[in-house]
Short mmCIF file of all heavy atoms in Angstrom, two decimals:
data_model
loop_
_atom_site.label_atom_id
_atom_site.label_comp_id
_atom_site.label_asym_id
_atom_site.label_seq_id
_atom_site.Cartn_x
_atom_site.Cartn_y
_atom_site.Cartn_z
N TYR A 833 14.99 -1.21 21.78
CA TYR A 833 15.53 -1.37 20.46
C TYR A 833 14.67 -2.41 19.72
O TYR A 833 14.20 -3.34 20.29
CB TYR A 833 16.96 -1.95 20.47
CG TYR A 833 17.99 -0.83 20.92
CD1 TYR A 833 18.05 -0.68 22.28
CD2 TYR A 833 18.51 0.16 20.10
CE1 TYR A 833 18.85 0.40 22.73
CE2 TYR A 833 19.23 1.15 20.54
CZ TYR A 833 19.49 1.29 21.77
OH TYR A 833 20.24 2.32 22.27
N GLN A 834 14.55 -2.31 18.36
CA GLN A 834 13.78 -3.17 17.62
C GLN A 834 14.65 -3.73 16.46
O GLN A 834 15.38 -3.01 15.77
CB GLN A 834 12.59 -2.42 16.97
CG GLN A 834 11.79 -3.24 16.04
CD GLN A 834 10.64 -2.39 15.42
OE1 GLN A 834 10.14 -1.44 15.92
NE2 GLN A 834 10.26 -2.80 14.22
N PHE A 835 14.56 -5.12 16.36
CA PHE A 835 15.38 -5.77 15.29
C PHE A 835 14.49 -6.43 14.36
O PHE A 835 13.67 -7.34 14.68
CB PHE A 835 16.34 -6.85 15.99
CG PHE A 835 17.31 -6.18 16.95
CD1 PHE A 835 17.03 -5.83 18.21
CD2 PHE A 835 18.58 -6.11 16.61
CE1 PHE A 835 17.78 -5.23 19.17
CE2 PHE A 835 19.53 -5.49 17.37
CZ PHE A 835 19.14 -5.02 18.75
N ASP A 836 14.43 -5.96 13.10
CA ASP A 836 13.68 -6.58 12.16
C ASP A 836 14.44 -7.42 11.29
O ASP A 836 15.54 -7.06 10.73
CB ASP A 836 13.06 -5.47 11.14
CG ASP A 836 11.88 -4.76 11.84
OD1 ASP A 836 11.32 -5.37 12.84
OD2 ASP A 836 11.67 -3.63 11.54
N VAL A 837 14.09 -8.73 11.09
CA VAL A 837 14.90 -9.59 10.27
C VAL A 837 14.25 -9.49 8.92
O VAL A 837 12.98 -9.81 8.86
CB VAL A 837 14.84 -10.97 10.77
CG1 VAL A 837 15.83 -11.88 9.97
CG2 VAL A 837 15.36 -11.03 12.21
N ALA A 838 14.85 -9.16 7.87
CA ALA A 838 14.20 -8.86 6.59
C ALA A 838 15.14 -9.28 5.42
O ALA A 838 16.32 -9.23 5.53
CB ALA A 838 13.75 -7.45 6.45
N SER A 839 14.49 -9.57 4.36
CA SER A 839 15.27 -9.77 3.12
C SER A 839 14.63 -8.95 2.09
O SER A 839 13.59 -8.37 2.28
CB SER A 839 15.16 -11.31 2.81
OG SER A 839 13.96 -11.48 2.14
N GLY A 840 15.17 -9.06 0.92
CA GLY A 840 14.62 -8.32 -0.14
C GLY A 840 13.60 -9.20 -0.85
O GLY A 840 12.91 -8.74 -1.70
N ALA A 841 13.57 -10.43 -0.53
CA ALA A 841 12.61 -11.37 -1.15
C ALA A 841 11.23 -10.98 -0.66
O ALA A 841 10.97 -10.24 0.33
CB ALA A 841 12.91 -12.76 -0.87
N ARG A 842 10.14 -11.55 -1.31
CA ARG A 842 8.82 -11.42 -0.68
C ARG A 842 9.03 -12.10 0.67
O ARG A 842 9.27 -13.20 0.78
CB ARG A 842 7.77 -12.22 -1.58
CG ARG A 842 7.10 -11.38 -2.70
CD ARG A 842 6.26 -10.28 -2.21
NE ARG A 842 5.09 -10.70 -1.57
CZ ARG A 842 4.34 -10.13 -0.65
NH1 ARG A 842 4.75 -8.92 -0.17
NH2 ARG A 842 3.23 -10.59 -0.20
N GLU A 843 8.81 -11.24 1.64
CA GLU A 843 9.35 -11.57 2.93
C GLU A 843 8.61 -12.85 3.53
O GLU A 843 9.08 -13.46 4.40
CB GLU A 843 9.23 -10.49 3.90
CG GLU A 843 10.04 -9.26 3.37
CD GLU A 843 10.16 -8.09 4.12
OE1 GLU A 843 9.19 -7.86 4.94
OE2 GLU A 843 11.07 -7.30 3.97
N LYS A 844 7.41 -13.19 3.05
CA LYS A 844 6.68 -14.29 3.68
C LYS A 844 7.38 -15.61 3.28
O LYS A 844 6.98 -16.66 3.74
CB LYS A 844 5.30 -14.21 3.17
CG LYS A 844 4.46 -13.33 3.97
CD LYS A 844 2.94 -13.33 3.46
CE LYS A 844 2.10 -12.55 4.37
NZ LYS A 844 0.78 -12.47 3.78
N SER A 845 8.15 -15.61 2.23
CA SER A 845 8.50 -16.89 1.70
C SER A 845 9.78 -17.52 2.29
O SER A 845 10.23 -18.62 1.88
CB SER A 845 8.75 -16.78 0.18
OG SER A 845 9.67 -15.69 -0.02
N VAL A 846 10.31 -16.90 3.27
CA VAL A 846 11.64 -17.37 3.82
C VAL A 846 11.64 -17.22 5.31
O VAL A 846 10.98 -16.31 5.84
CB VAL A 846 12.84 -16.64 3.26
CG1 VAL A 846 14.09 -17.10 3.77
CG2 VAL A 846 12.84 -16.64 1.76
N ILE A 847 12.17 -18.14 5.95
CA ILE A 847 12.20 -18.19 7.46
C ILE A 847 13.58 -17.96 7.99
O ILE A 847 14.59 -18.51 7.47
CB ILE A 847 11.70 -19.49 7.94
CG1 ILE A 847 10.18 -19.48 7.87
CG2 ILE A 847 12.07 -19.72 9.44
CD1 ILE A 847 9.61 -20.93 8.29
N PHE A 848 13.70 -17.15 9.01
CA PHE A 848 14.92 -17.10 9.80
C PHE A 848 14.60 -17.60 11.17
O PHE A 848 13.36 -17.48 11.68
CB PHE A 848 15.41 -15.69 9.99
CG PHE A 848 16.34 -15.18 8.90
CD1 PHE A 848 15.90 -14.32 7.99
CD2 PHE A 848 17.65 -15.64 8.88
CE1 PHE A 848 16.74 -13.95 7.01
CE2 PHE A 848 18.48 -15.25 7.82
CZ PHE A 848 18.11 -14.34 6.92
N ARG A 849 15.57 -18.19 11.81
CA ARG A 849 15.30 -18.52 13.28
C ARG A 849 16.46 -18.01 14.06
O ARG A 849 17.51 -18.43 13.77
CB ARG A 849 15.27 -20.08 13.20
CG ARG A 849 15.03 -20.76 14.52
CD ARG A 849 14.79 -22.21 14.20
NE ARG A 849 15.12 -23.08 15.44
CZ ARG A 849 14.27 -23.68 16.09
NH1 ARG A 849 13.00 -23.55 15.83
NH2 ARG A 849 14.65 -24.50 16.99
N VAL A 850 16.14 -17.24 14.98
CA VAL A 850 17.15 -16.67 15.92
C VAL A 850 17.39 -17.71 16.85
O VAL A 850 16.52 -18.25 17.55
CB VAL A 850 16.65 -15.43 16.60
CG1 VAL A 850 17.72 -14.91 17.53
CG2 VAL A 850 16.45 -14.36 15.44
N VAL A 851 18.63 -18.16 17.08
CA VAL A 851 19.06 -19.24 18.05
C VAL A 851 19.95 -18.61 19.09
O VAL A 851 20.61 -17.69 18.86
CB VAL A 851 19.66 -20.48 17.31
CG1 VAL A 851 18.64 -21.13 16.47
CG2 VAL A 851 20.91 -20.00 16.52
N GLY A 852 19.98 -19.36 20.16
CA GLY A 852 20.81 -18.93 21.27
C GLY A 852 20.27 -17.73 22.08
O GLY A 852 19.58 -16.96 21.57
N PRO A 853 20.65 -17.71 23.33
CA PRO A 853 20.15 -16.65 24.19
C PRO A 853 20.80 -15.32 23.75
O PRO A 853 21.81 -15.27 23.18
CB PRO A 853 20.61 -17.03 25.53
CG PRO A 853 21.79 -17.81 25.38
CD PRO A 853 21.55 -18.60 24.02
N PRO A 854 20.16 -14.18 23.94
CA PRO A 854 18.85 -14.05 24.59
C PRO A 854 17.74 -14.07 23.57
O PRO A 854 17.95 -13.60 22.43
CB PRO A 854 18.86 -12.66 25.21
CG PRO A 854 19.82 -11.88 24.43
CD PRO A 854 20.78 -12.81 23.73
N SER A 855 16.67 -14.83 23.84
CA SER A 855 15.52 -14.84 22.83
C SER A 855 14.80 -13.52 22.98
O SER A 855 14.27 -13.04 21.96
CB SER A 855 14.64 -15.96 23.17
OG SER A 855 14.22 -15.90 24.52
N ARG A 856 14.62 -12.86 24.15
CA ARG A 856 14.02 -11.57 24.32
C ARG A 856 12.52 -11.61 23.85
O ARG A 856 11.97 -12.53 23.41
CB ARG A 856 14.89 -10.43 23.60
CG ARG A 856 16.20 -10.39 24.05
CD ARG A 856 16.27 -9.91 25.60
NE ARG A 856 17.67 -10.03 26.18
CZ ARG A 856 18.34 -9.00 26.54
NH1 ARG A 856 17.72 -7.80 26.57
NH2 ARG A 856 19.53 -9.17 27.02
N SER A 857 11.90 -10.40 24.02
CA SER A 857 10.54 -10.23 23.62
C SER A 857 10.48 -10.23 22.05
O SER A 857 11.39 -9.87 21.34
CB SER A 857 10.14 -8.95 24.13
OG SER A 857 9.59 -9.04 25.40
N MET A 858 9.24 -10.50 21.62
CA MET A 858 8.95 -10.46 20.18
C MET A 858 7.70 -9.75 19.97
O MET A 858 6.81 -9.87 20.86
CB MET A 858 8.85 -11.85 19.53
CG MET A 858 10.16 -12.69 19.74
SD MET A 858 9.78 -14.37 19.59
CE MET A 858 11.30 -14.92 20.29
N PHE A 859 7.58 -9.07 18.97
CA PHE A 859 6.24 -8.55 18.66
C PHE A 859 6.04 -8.67 17.16
O PHE A 859 6.98 -8.79 16.44
CB PHE A 859 6.08 -7.15 19.23
CG PHE A 859 6.62 -6.02 18.39
CD1 PHE A 859 5.89 -5.19 17.59
CD2 PHE A 859 8.02 -5.91 18.41
CE1 PHE A 859 6.48 -4.20 16.86
CE2 PHE A 859 8.68 -4.94 17.77
CZ PHE A 859 7.94 -4.14 16.92
N ALA A 860 4.75 -8.62 16.79
CA ALA A 860 4.59 -9.00 15.39
C ALA A 860 3.65 -7.97 14.81
O ALA A 860 2.64 -7.49 15.44
CB ALA A 860 3.91 -10.36 15.31
N ASP A 861 3.93 -7.56 13.58
CA ASP A 861 3.10 -6.72 12.73
C ASP A 861 2.40 -5.64 13.44
O ASP A 861 1.19 -5.51 13.51
CB ASP A 861 1.96 -7.69 12.23
CG ASP A 861 1.59 -7.43 10.87
OD1 ASP A 861 2.46 -6.68 10.16
OD2 ASP A 861 0.59 -7.86 10.30
N LEU A 862 3.17 -4.86 14.13
CA LEU A 862 2.70 -3.79 14.94
C LEU A 862 2.00 -2.71 14.20
O LEU A 862 2.71 -2.02 13.45
CB LEU A 862 3.81 -3.24 15.72
CG LEU A 862 3.33 -2.19 16.86
CD1 LEU A 862 2.84 -3.01 18.05
CD2 LEU A 862 4.50 -1.31 17.24
N LYS A 863 0.71 -2.63 14.21
CA LYS A 863 -0.05 -1.58 13.53
C LYS A 863 -0.54 -0.54 14.44
O LYS A 863 -1.50 -1.00 15.19
CB LYS A 863 -1.13 -2.20 12.65
CG LYS A 863 -0.52 -3.02 11.61
CD LYS A 863 -1.59 -3.00 10.41
CE LYS A 863 -0.72 -3.61 9.19
NZ LYS A 863 -1.66 -3.80 8.08
N ASN A 864 -0.05 0.57 14.40
CA ASN A 864 -0.67 1.69 15.32
C ASN A 864 -0.62 1.32 16.78
O ASN A 864 -1.47 1.80 17.44
CB ASN A 864 -2.09 2.03 14.91
CG ASN A 864 -2.32 2.15 13.39
OD1 ASN A 864 -1.35 2.47 12.75
ND2 ASN A 864 -3.41 1.76 13.00
N HIS A 865 0.33 0.59 17.17
CA HIS A 865 0.47 0.20 18.56
C HIS A 865 -0.88 -0.43 19.12
O HIS A 865 -1.33 -0.05 20.22
CB HIS A 865 0.96 1.36 19.42
CG HIS A 865 2.22 1.86 19.15
ND1 HIS A 865 2.87 2.75 19.77
CD2 HIS A 865 3.12 1.39 18.11
CE1 HIS A 865 4.16 3.02 19.24
NE2 HIS A 865 4.18 2.18 18.27
N GLN A 866 -1.52 -1.23 18.32
CA GLN A 866 -2.82 -1.77 18.71
C GLN A 866 -2.58 -3.11 19.34
O GLN A 866 -1.50 -3.73 19.23
CB GLN A 866 -3.71 -2.02 17.59
CG GLN A 866 -3.88 -0.75 16.74
CD GLN A 866 -5.14 -0.03 16.95
OE1 GLN A 866 -5.88 -0.42 17.85
NE2 GLN A 866 -5.53 1.01 16.27
N ASN A 867 -3.54 -3.71 20.12
CA ASN A 867 -3.44 -4.97 20.72
C ASN A 867 -3.66 -6.11 19.68
O ASN A 867 -4.57 -6.84 19.99
CB ASN A 867 -4.39 -5.10 21.91
CG ASN A 867 -3.95 -4.29 23.02
OD1 ASN A 867 -2.83 -3.88 23.10
ND2 ASN A 867 -4.91 -3.98 23.90
N ILE A 868 -2.87 -6.21 18.63
CA ILE A 868 -3.18 -7.23 17.78
C ILE A 868 -1.77 -7.89 17.45
O ILE A 868 -0.77 -7.22 17.06
CB ILE A 868 -3.68 -6.62 16.45
CG1 ILE A 868 -4.95 -5.81 16.67
CG2 ILE A 868 -3.89 -7.77 15.36
CD1 ILE A 868 -6.11 -6.61 16.99
N SER A 869 -1.68 -9.22 17.68
CA SER A 869 -0.45 -9.96 17.36
C SER A 869 -0.69 -11.14 16.60
O SER A 869 -0.67 -12.34 17.11
CB SER A 869 0.30 -10.27 18.57
OG SER A 869 -0.07 -9.66 19.70
N PRO A 870 -0.85 -11.04 15.29
CA PRO A 870 -1.10 -12.31 14.48
C PRO A 870 0.33 -12.93 14.16
O PRO A 870 0.91 -12.81 13.16
CB PRO A 870 -1.71 -11.92 13.15
CG PRO A 870 -1.48 -10.41 13.08
CD PRO A 870 -0.98 -9.88 14.37
N LEU A 871 0.87 -13.54 15.26
CA LEU A 871 2.14 -14.28 15.04
C LEU A 871 2.01 -15.30 14.11
O LEU A 871 0.97 -16.06 14.13
CB LEU A 871 2.64 -14.80 16.35
CG LEU A 871 2.85 -13.84 17.53
CD1 LEU A 871 3.15 -14.61 18.82
CD2 LEU A 871 3.94 -12.95 17.21
N GLU A 872 2.95 -15.56 13.31
CA GLU A 872 2.86 -16.70 12.41
C GLU A 872 4.05 -17.59 12.81
O GLU A 872 5.26 -17.22 12.76
CB GLU A 872 3.10 -16.30 10.92
CG GLU A 872 2.03 -15.29 10.46
CD GLU A 872 1.32 -15.72 9.29
OE1 GLU A 872 1.58 -16.77 8.76
OE2 GLU A 872 0.43 -14.91 8.88
N ILE A 873 3.71 -18.77 13.31
CA ILE A 873 4.74 -19.75 13.75
C ILE A 873 4.68 -20.86 12.89
O ILE A 873 3.63 -21.41 12.52
CB ILE A 873 4.34 -20.06 15.26
CG1 ILE A 873 4.46 -18.85 16.09
CG2 ILE A 873 5.46 -21.04 15.75
CD1 ILE A 873 4.04 -19.11 17.60
N ARG A 874 5.82 -21.40 12.63
CA ARG A 874 5.95 -22.61 11.73
C ARG A 874 6.69 -23.65 12.48
O ARG A 874 7.60 -23.33 13.27
CB ARG A 874 6.73 -22.30 10.42
CG ARG A 874 6.20 -21.10 9.63
CD ARG A 874 5.18 -21.77 8.68
NE ARG A 874 4.34 -20.66 8.13
CZ ARG A 874 3.54 -20.79 7.11
NH1 ARG A 874 3.39 -21.87 6.56
NH2 ARG A 874 2.89 -19.77 6.66
#
Side-chain angles (χ1 to χ4, degrees):
Y833 292 86
Q834 178 182 330
F835 297 76
D836 287 334
V837 187
S839 81
R842 271 294 289 154
E843 299 182 340
K844 279 181 173 173
S845 54
V846 180
I847 284 178
F848 272 105
R849 178 175 156 106
V850 176
V851 294
S855 56
R856 302 294 173 121
S857 273
M858 296 159 199
F859 76 108
D861 220 14
L862 189 78
K863 290 210 169 172
N864 316 326
H865 295 186
Q866 309 256 5
N867 287 342
I868 306 289
S869 344
L871 300 173
E872 303 234 3
I873 302 179
R874 303 270 168 171

